[in-house]
Amino acid sequence: MNEPVLQTRDLRRSFEQGGVRIDVLRGVDLDVQRGEIVALLGPSGSGKSTLLQAVGLLEGGFEGSIRIVGEEAAKLPAGGRTAMRRDKLAFIYQFHHLLPDFDATENVVLPQLIHGATRPAAQARATELLTQLGLGHRLTHRPNQLSGGEQQRVAVARALANRPPLVLADEPTGNLDEATSDRVFGEFVNLVRNEGSAALVATHNERLAARMDRVVRLHEGRLEELA
Ligand SMILES: Nc1ncnc2c1ncn2[C@@H]1O[C@H](COP(=O)(O)OP(=O)(O)O)[C@@H](O)[C@H]1O
Ligand SMILES: [Mg+2]
């Protein structure tokens, strides 16, 4: 059971745009171990989102190997990928994508119900996570009644609700001001650590990256390991 949560080998992804081919990922080898939090650095356009989308099994079109908790995802049929996404992965985006008509608690409850939890268990878990993130007094607020930082905390709670082995985060605090970003980011890292999940976190913020266990950088379509 010591296999990495995520292992990619020679992962490649190209796009055709107006007859021109862009090789964005040119052979990415990446291991993320259980419980490890890895920062994915790289300037805008270097392919961070492309890598997260491939690893998140959100679209096909890549070549190479993606193993998630020991299982080769690249060869799974669509149904198997959906199940793997639901059971093994969670996502946090720059913009929260919360359900606007549901309050904070319900946004964290619903994915658990879809995952098979009972309502009382899902509600207890939602309350626990939101309280740990400092939102104990915002449980029944809807997204438009929350600040940007509070919305992103709800998105963090939602992502961790089903205890995913791997959280994929794409510039999760990218639309927050610096002080709020620092705070929410710190809470996110603490919660992922407490929960024992692993995370791959795209950011172009080197200061935030330095707070993670390991830093890798995308450069010309491949990964460099940084100290
Ligand atoms: N669907 C697409 N079609 C064509 N080109 C794309 C597509 N998605 C991304 N790209 C290109 O791939 C490169 C990497 O993009 P992206 O992964 O979004 O970078 P980052 O997240 O690091 O800013 C960019 O040059 C972008 O224009
Ligand atoms: Mg991006």
Side-chain angles (χ1 to χ4, degrees):
M1 287 297 285
N2 272 333
E3 78 256 344
V5 175
L6 170 68
Q7 180 177 74
T8 75
R9 287 294 179 267
D10 201 26
L11 183 62
R12 293 169 184 271
R13 179 77 166 103
S14 304
F15 296 107
E16 281 269 340
Q17 193 79 76
V20 180
R21 185 185 146 113
I22 319 168
D23 298 318
V24 178
L25 305 179
R26 304 180 189 185
V28 169
D29 295 337
L30 172 63
D31 286 10
V32 178
Q33 306 298 333
R34 280 174 192 273
E36 190 178 39
I37 304 179
V38 177
L40 174 61
L41 270 177
S44 180
S46 59
K48 302 183 296 298
S49 295
T50 300
L51 178 55
L52 287 176
Q53 273 163 26
V55 165
L57 311 177
L58 291 166
E59 49 173 74
F62 57 82
E63 293 167 57
S65 165
I66 300 176
R67 295 179 76 84
I68 295 178
V69 200
E71 196 176 354
E72 179 59 59
K75 295 197 178 71
L76 283 177
R81 284 189 192 201
T82 303
M84 190 177 263
R85 257 202 321 271
R86 185 191 59 217
D87 296 336
K88 308 283 195 258
L89 304 175
F91 301 87
I92 304 172
Y93 301 98
Q94 182 169 358
F95 298 98
H96 56 74
H97 300 299
L98 297 173
L99 298 170
D101 298 331
F102 292 93
D103 67 21
T105 302
E106 205 62 12
N107 267 282
V108 184
V109 164
L110 287 172
Q112 299 179 73
L113 297 182
I114 292 166
H115 202 250
T118 64
R119 177 162 278 280
Q123 249 154 353
R125 172 90 174 139
T127 304
E128 177 205 321
L129 284 170
L130 290 168
T131 303
Q132 280 186 56
L133 288 162
L135 290 180
H137 60 315
R138 295 285 185 273
L139 297 175
T140 58
H141 283 54
R142 285 195 305 277
N144 69 1
Q145 300 169 318
L146 296 170
S147 72
E150 289 168 343
Q151 290 168 352
Q152 227 30 9
R153 288 180 176 94
V154 178
V156 167
R158 176 185 56 184
L160 288 158
N162 289 325
R163 299 186 167 83
L166 178 62
V167 179
L168 301 170
D170 196 351
E171 315 222 19
T173 61
N175 75 327
L176 303 176
D177 64 74
E178 188 172 306
T180 307
S181 168
D182 275 17
R183 211 160 48 238
V184 174
F185 196 85
E187 290 166 5
F188 163 69
V189 168
N190 285 341
L191 191 60
V192 170
R193 287 218 167 93
N194 288 343
E195 293 279 320
S197 286
L200 178 61
V201 186
T203 178
H204 52 246
N205 185 323
E206 308 215 1
R207 199 166 36 82
L208 295 183
R211 288 158 67 174
M212 294 185 241
D213 297 324
R214 194 152 65 82
V215 182
V216 296
R217 188 199 301 275
L218 262 174
H219 179 68
E220 295 181 350
R222 311 188 93 224
L223 281 185
E224 298 172 337
E225 194 88 21
L226 301 185

